[in-house]
Amino acid sequence: NTYKSNPLVEYCLMNEPDFNISVEVWKSAAQAAINAIRATGSTQKIQVPGVAYTGPVNWFQSWYGTSNAVGMVGITDPGDNFVIEVHCYNNADGSGGETLVPSVTTGITRVKSLADWARTNGYRLMIGEVATGINERGILCFSNMINYINRNSDVIDGWYFWSSNPWRLPGYIYYIQPTSGIESPLMKYVEPFLV
């Protein structure tokens, strides 16, 4: 109720529900949360992630049970104002644990797979975590991916860079928070895409 009249607030149900929870259990909990938020009269956008780190590398896989691609279909919003929130890191395993990327088109390929899924199933996406390391291939991969996201605004609402949280320590490979008043070196690669 505190934020239901604030148009600057969006809700994100949870950051990366554990991969040990089944898609079916998570979908049921997420649907209940959406319904409860709408029951308060809130109309703001709700971001709904999948399980298994909610990324394209795992979205279509079933090592954790029913895949997100199958299990998340059918989730609804009585307020018709929600997005499926996904994370897209471009290193080989999609974890974001390193800054090296396989190709300058990795990000496009990964986001396109999700955009195609969203179009087919009538959903919109928010790319809730993206990042880049400061190396030539990584920066080009990031730029290509963000340009693809921007060209597909019919199905993708936007993206967030990870991480600008002050609790992340300087030295984290994707740290973009200014430190002691000094801008992060990553900012010059991200800033051209900010609206």
Side-chain angles (χ1 to χ4, degrees), residues 10-155:
E10 289 186 9
Y11 301 106
C12 182
L13 295 186
M14 182 178 194
N15 183 52
E16 295 183 357
D18 196 321
F19 64 84
N20 287 319
I21 187 173
S22 72
V23 174
E24 292 82 4
V25 169
W26 167 246
K27 179 182 172 184
S28 177
Q31 188 64 66
I34 292 168
N35 295 344
I37 290 168
R38 294 305 180 219
T40 70
S42 176
T43 59
Q44 292 101 323
K45 186 175 291 174
I46 300 172
Q47 299 177 25
V48 183
V51 299
Y53 308 110
T54 199
V57 171
N58 299 323
W59 195 261
F60 302 92
Q61 295 181 358
S62 59
W63 58 266
Y64 50 92
T66 304
S67 71
N68 284 312
V70 172
M72 292 299 287
V73 173
I75 198 157
T76 61
D77 174 11
D80 194 31
N81 188 20
F82 80 112
V83 291
I84 301 295
E85 191 244 355
V86 295
H87 299 168
C88 191
Y89 292 100
N90 296 320
N91 61 306
D93 67 3
S95 68
E98 64 177 340
T99 60
L100 300 177
V101 300
S103 162
V104 297
T105 60
T106 299
I108 292 173
T109 302
R110 290 180 178 172
V111 172
K112 181 182 184 310
S113 69
L114 295 167
D116 291 346
W117 174 86
R119 280 192 184 95
T120 298
N121 292 287
Y123 292 112
R124 295 189 59 75
L125 301 173
M126 173 62 73
I127 313 300
E129 290 184 18
V130 297
T132 185
I134 302 178
N135 58 70
E136 187 175 352
R137 187 187 293 181
I139 291 164
L140 188 51
C141 181
F142 173 78
S143 300
N144 290 339
M145 179 178 64
I146 300 303
N147 285 325
Y148 177 86
I149 289 169
N150 292 341
R151 286 193 310 271
N152 287 271
S153 60
D154 63 304
V155 74

Side-chain angles (χ1 to χ4, degrees), residues 162-170 172 175 177:
W162 185 264
S163 168
S164 63
N165 296 327
W167 55 265
R168 280 283 186 184
L169 298 174
Y172 170 63
Y175 191 77
Q177 182 79 9

